[in-house]
Amino acid sequence: MKVIITGATGMVGEGVLLECLSHPDITQILLVSRKTYGLQHPKLQECLIPDFMQLEDHVTQLTGYDACFYCAGISSNGMNEVAYTFITYDVTLHFARRLAAIQPNMIFEYVSGSHTDSSEQGRIMWARVKGKTENALAKLSFKEIYYIRPGFMQPTPGQKNIKRYYRMIGHLYPLLRWLFPNQVSTMREVGLAMILAALKGYPRPILEVKDIKLLARG
């Protein structure tokens, strides 16, 4: 399987990339990013796109892949709803629509988040916007679409792009996993679940933490 990964300069995208590099069924990876990840590997190619709203010159590079793991995103901390919606909804949908137009037989996997609000009516801004994004993606003509909803994640050893608060409370991971088993996973489990959903499928499009952990076990 040949895959596109966005967001590899962030924690989730980097974790998914590391699992794809080591998985024998992933034969080719295209990193689509605004800046280089800075890794040389036989499986790996990069496509640098400064503005994901301007994809016209990159259609050829984006063609010929079996799946897209869309891990690009941003924290809502300190953002108003308009700015967060543009990055989370508008940019994601523009990118996904372009992919669906050039290769509708592709599998598209969108990294959302635990407690995403599918009703789009809740009081939590980021959850509403993520829910709106999931609902819009569902209308596109991909072969399959999966919505990945991780909670707290333990980074994979060797990751460079780890959020500060993960570094600060990472030592609590064993306790958190014991106390909140359906809200906590490893980054490796998230990456494996995404790969196996693309390779083997899954009976539900929404993968909550319990689904991620179940699927990752193979």
Side-chain angles (χ1 to χ4, degrees):
M1 177 171 280
K2 299 191 294 183
V3 302
I4 292 171
I5 300 175
T6 70
T9 54
M11 177 177 160
V12 177
E14 182 182 45
V16 173
L17 168 63
L18 294 177
E19 292 308 313
C20 287
L21 288 173
S22 63
H23 200 285
D25 290 327
I26 303 298
T27 59
Q28 187 174 326
I29 304 162
L30 179 68
L31 293 187
V32 179
S33 308
R34 295 176 180 85
K35 58 183 179 180
T36 184
Y37 180 76
L39 176 68
Q40 299 294 320
H41 191 281
K43 290 186 181 182
L44 194 60
Q45 297 179 358
E46 285 191 307
C47 175
L48 299 182
I49 304 179
D51 183 357
F52 277 23
M53 298 297 282
Q54 303 294 328
L55 301 174
E56 290 76 14
D57 295 336
H58 305 279
V59 170
T60 300
Q61 289 174 280
L62 298 173
T63 302
Y65 289 85
D66 304 297
C68 175
F69 300 152
Y70 195 93
C71 308
I74 192 168
S75 170
S76 63
N77 290 338
M79 299 191 72
N80 62 46
E81 186 163 352
V82 172
Y84 184 71
T85 298
F86 176 75
I87 294 172
T88 302
Y89 177 85
D90 295 285
V91 174
T92 302
L93 263 292
H94 183 81
F95 189 90
R97 286 178 180 132
R98 173 59 71 178
L99 284 187
I102 61 179
Q103 41 197 19
N105 61 338
M106 169 182 275
I107 297 166
F108 191 90
E109 299 191 24
Y110 171 65
V111 175
S112 186
S114 180
H115 299 101
T116 288
D117 179 13
S118 299
S119 76
E120 306 180 34
Q121 302 299 316
R123 295 195 298 176
I124 301 174
M125 182 270 283
W126 73 261
R128 291 197 309 271
V129 176
K130 288 278 192 180
K132 178 181 178 181
T133 305
E134 287 186 358
N135 293 339
L137 288 170
K139 299 175 183 178
L140 301 185
S141 59
F142 289 110
K143 178 181 178 181
E144 299 285 350
I145 302 180
Y146 295 102
Y147 313 102
I148 315 301
R149 294 183 174 183
F152 183 85
M153 295 166 284
Q154 182 186 43
T156 299
Q159 281 200 248
K160 301 179 296 183
N161 301 312
I162 302 174
K163 295 178 180 179
R164 180 177 298 178
Y165 64 84
Y166 276 91
R167 296 184 187 274
M168 294 174 60
I169 66 172
H171 65 284
L172 296 176
Y173 174 80
L175 176 62
L176 293 173
R177 188 170 178 121
W178 180 70
L179 290 174
F180 310 106
N182 291 329
Q183 294 299 322
V184 178
S185 71
T186 65
M187 188 62 251
R188 183 171 188 271
E189 286 172 325
V190 174
L192 278 175
M194 293 179 71
I195 292 169
L196 292 174
L199 288 170
K200 300 179 179 181
Y202 196 69
R204 292 185 295 277
I206 296 176
L207 275 67
E208 302 284 2
V209 174
K210 61 182 179 179
D211 301 293
I212 289 168
K213 292 161 74 171
L214 177 64
L215 188 50
R217 290 199 289 267

